[in-house]
Amino acid sequence: MVNKQDILPVNIETELKQSYLDYAMSVIVGRALPDIRDGLKPVHRRVLYSMSELGVYWNKPFKKSARIVGDIIGKYHPHGESAVYESIVRLAQPFSMRYTLVKGQGNFGSIDGDSAAASRYTEIRMEKISHSILSDLDKNTVDFVPNYDGTEIAPVVLPTRIPNLLVNGTSGIAVGMATNIPPHNLNEIIDACVLLIDEPNSSISEILKIVKGPDFPTAAFILGTKGIYDAYTTGKGRVVMRAKTHFEEISNHKQSIVIDELPYQVNKARLVEKIASLVRSKVIESISEIRDESDKDGIRVVIELKKNENPEIALNILYKHTQLQDTFSINMVALHDGQPKLLTLTEILNAFIQHRKVVVTRRTQFELKRAKEKCHILEGLGVSLNNIDKVIEIIKHSKTPSIAKQTLLETTWEAGFIASVVGDISTKIENLPEHQGLNGTKYNLSENQVQAILDLKLHRLTALEQSKINDEYIVYIEAIRKLLHILGSQQEIMNVVRQELVEVKEEFGDARRTILMEDSSDISLEDLIDPEDVVVTLSNAGYVKYQALTSYSAQKRGGKGKSATKVKDEDVIEKIIVANTHDTLLCFTNFGKVYWLKTYQISEASRISKGKPIINLLPLDKDEKITAILPTKDLSEDKSVFMATSMGVVKKVNLEDFSRPRNGGIRAIDLQDDDKLIGVDITDGNKDVMLFTDAGKVNRFHENDVRIMGRSARGVRGIRIPDGVKVTDLIVVKEEGSILITTSGGFGKRTLVSEFRKTGRGGVGVISIIVNERNGKALRSRQVIDSDEAVLITNQGTMVRIRTSEISLISRNTQGVKLMNVGDSEEVVDVQTIEYIDTNENEEEILS
């Protein structure tokens, strides 16, 4: 029965706080966070110590993992078997550790996320570098504490010569905090330590000249240095990692992307699955096949692209949607003086140097003590050998060993050689060890010396053995001198620390694997695309593509032309735009909306290819079609967008109103039923505009006759047209040139701009070209100069390119001349003008 006097009232809130704090600190200190000195969590420290105690050295046979796991659990780490074995497995994985600490034999998992075989099937031993972490553990260099049940002792920290916290990094989640430290290159970290030993006040900028950044075991690239600088100066930073890839040409117009190296901690199998998923969901349409050809020699994932796909564009889409580009969030938290702390690079380096200083000091003190003890014993042996006859006589006549021991202690001996050695070198060596038994040439033995004499074997009485004892004594005297010299100067201790670090670097250092590249924020997809003039075509069925402008050479007037694109029987080419690959295309639709599209986002295709559906590039609604495309370079310019519809409505909007793209597009104009946009251009406020109809009429007026409106406004009348007539084109008049007017029957002409008089906004206009059954309806009107060229395309996909200087310059009220021969049921559907480029091609050849 519980005595009420033994029950103490406790505030529940106070008890919960204290209990949870105890639990949190237990997790932080005992499980999740590494020590700043050796960079190891308790489980890793116990793994290495247990393997060392079992003698599983790098040059010894492997031992079963299960045996070592059992020893660790039974003696040092009372936790689950799987937790301990998983820790061992990670120490043996070359894709997880920059410098593996355990050598595994058997299946230890893979970069595909495969689990390691069970501990009963695998074998392990220490790596050679691990011995540098355990070096001098037996020389009182670190403190030991009892294990969980008090039956064993284990080190609090290891006396590592390796700056392991930075070299191998670590990650862990504690209560209310976490750590994530990336691995680094051993050479760089040791060089930084040497710098701080030589120049303790070195700045972070000087250190960063040596430590370039993390060095991941999987290599790959790091983009930019800002995240690295932030991490090293504040303890927190974000590093962008990118896979190493290269392109391989499979055949003409077909290439593949080959992945050679992956970002750190990226699962290769999941990455391949993710890419396949993106292909199936049509997020990425340029990929035709994915193969994982990785083997024992390294990673090789082949991503085959479809014909004429740009590998740079495909790769950048992969960077955006997959872990081919990933981030590593650095959070350098570790236990410093037993407390968790967010640390800078300099603090971690200095803490390791200080740890090495303590280790070297304690090791030197231990070796000095042991050398003095050994020297003391050798003195006794030397004295006994100098007086061997007397020693034998005493032992021989003593009734018991204790009597012999006491007699030897009470006897004063001739020092002989010992006195001469001490006297000879005392003038050369300062701070000699104490010789309590030496008084001039006389010597009194201690208990330890007497016991050593009694334990002396007979073969040590030979003259050779006596000489060895004397020589060994001199060696220990010299060793004591050196050890005292080291302990007598902080600089000498630091020199030892420095020298040992250099030795570690020479033995285990290797070249950097991860390469640093320029900041990813400075590299855009556009930077990877060469600026180039291209011809963009859009068919009635919504297929879009582009071809290089140099694919076409000029043809003399009246040429037949060659096929520029393959279309379905029921499809026709509607739009042809000349733009630069870096231009932004403002795509206006029949619903009065506008979408944004970069030219390079459109796939380049061959002459016979029909291209790709534009609905894969733009989120068009059902029955929504592109009716006008405006190439622009700078959407922030102080200019206006002038629009015209097929029903003669015009509208002017500030260009800046279209400078904020939205994925779903925005409203550009409010259209009436059956009306659609037929022309869009950019103006500066000082231009005349001309509206052309398919009936061969044109109305010219100044753009200021139309005020600036909002995007959702309907607009005002620009030309008065009868029923059945449609406006075909809008021209913003430039200072030079003439107007090229074409018809659907392949006729056309050039007329001087001055021949088209102003009639005012809303007027019926004047004749631009005579239309009839022979030459067809008026089709396109473009302003040109003599050095321009015109590209005509028919509803059957035939294209021809003509120098405009070869087209007749005639008056306004005429029907024009033959520009292109068209076949039966064939008609010209679009005309685009381009600046003349000398391609050095045969004039009769249109496509290369």
Side-chain angles (χ1 to χ4, degrees), residues 237 323 432 569 840:
Q323 286 186 295
L432 283 174
D569 292 340
N840 295 321

Side-chain angles (χ1 to χ4, degrees), residues 94-110:
F95 51 86
S96 296
M97 303 288 289
R98 182 61 177 83
Y99 301 88
T100 55
L101 302 181
V102 171
K103 179 71 173 178
Q105 186 167 269
N107 176 18
F108 279 82
S110 72

Side-chain angles (χ1 to χ4, degrees), residues 438-698:
L438 182 65
N439 183 14
T441 59
K442 303 297 181 180
Y443 199 98
N444 293 102
L445 299 172
S446 68
E447 285 192 32
N448 290 338
Q449 289 173 325
V450 169
Q451 187 61 49
I453 293 169
L454 293 173
D455 295 337
L456 190 68
K457 294 182 179 180
L458 291 176
H459 74 86
R460 300 294 300 271
L461 300 180
T462 63
L464 181 60
E465 286 297 319
Q466 292 183 45
S467 176
K468 286 183 178 180
I469 290 174
N470 295 337
D471 292 342
E472 189 177 0
Y473 178 72
I474 295 175
V475 169
Y476 273 98
I477 288 290
E478 179 64 20
I480 291 170
R481 183 198 69 80
K482 291 181 178 179
L483 293 171
L484 288 170
H485 178 67
I486 291 172
L487 290 174
S489 169
Q490 293 295 313
Q491 184 59 48
E492 286 300 320
I493 293 176
M494 296 309 296
N495 287 342
V496 174
V497 172
R498 185 185 193 281
Q499 179 59 35
E500 290 178 351
L501 286 174
V502 172
E503 291 172 358
V504 167
K505 174 186 172 182
E506 291 174 351
E507 185 171 6
F508 301 110
D510 59 3
R512 164 173 278 276
R513 298 181 187 177
T514 302
I515 300 173
L516 272 69
M517 297 176 63
E518 291 185 10
D519 193 341
S520 59
S521 63
D522 296 334
I523 302 175
S524 66
L525 177 58
E526 190 168 306
D527 294 329
L528 301 174
I529 305 299
D530 293 331
E532 179 185 13
D533 289 331
V534 296
V535 176
V536 180
T537 59
L538 176 66
S539 75
N540 181 63
Y543 286 89
V544 65
K545 69 172 184 178
Y546 76 73
Q547 295 170 260
L549 184 58
T550 53
S551 295
Y552 308 94
S553 59
Q555 188 176 15
K556 290 185 177 179
R557 179 170 61 84
K560 178 63 177 176
K562 288 186 179 180
S563 177
T565 185
K566 181 179 181 180
V567 296
K568 298 178 181 179
D569 292 340
E570 67 276 12
D571 198 7
V572 296
I573 299 300
E574 275 196 347
K575 301 294 176 188
I576 177 169
I577 304 296
V578 176
N580 190 278
T581 49
H582 284 202
D583 285 352
T584 298
L585 303 179
L586 293 178
C587 302
F588 296 84
T589 75
N590 56 333
F591 286 5
K593 295 177 69 176
V594 62
Y595 298 88
W596 291 260
L597 185 66
K598 282 289 188 179
T599 306
Y600 59 74
Q601 291 177 300
I602 301 171
S603 296
E604 183 178 9
S606 65
R607 175 177 58 84
I608 61 173
S609 173
K610 65 183 179 181
K612 287 189 176 181
I614 197 168
I615 59 173
N616 292 338
L617 300 174
L618 300 174
L620 300 177
D621 294 331
K622 184 180 179 181
D623 299 327
E624 186 176 17
K625 294 181 62 178
I626 302 296
T627 57
I629 300 177
L630 177 62
T632 61
K633 296 186 183 298
D634 187 359
L635 292 170
S636 63
E637 290 181 316
D638 187 18
K639 294 184 178 180
S640 303
V641 175
F642 200 97
M643 292 174 273
T645 75
S646 61
M647 296 179 66
V649 175
V650 294
K651 176 182 175 181
K652 188 163 64 170
V653 181
N654 283 327
L655 177 61
E656 189 177 4
D657 288 353
F658 301 101
S659 63
R660 290 174 290 277
R662 295 180 188 173
N663 292 335
I666 61 173
R667 175 69 59 185
I669 187 173
D670 185 15
L671 296 173
Q672 295 181 355
D673 294 340
D674 300 327
D675 199 4
K676 66 177 183 179
L677 280 171
I678 53 85
V680 184
D681 207 345
I682 295 178
T683 66
D684 59 8
N686 300 308
K687 297 288 192 300
D688 283 347
V689 294
M690 302 173 71
L691 299 178
F692 293 81
T693 72
D694 57 5
K697 288 293 191 73
V698 58

Side-chain angles (χ1 to χ4, degrees), residues 360-373:
V360 169
T361 300
R362 292 182 61 164
R363 183 189 66 197
T364 306
Q365 291 171 341
F366 175 86
E367 290 176 345
L368 176 62
K369 179 181 177 182
R370 190 168 61 178
K372 285 184 175 181
E373 291 172 352

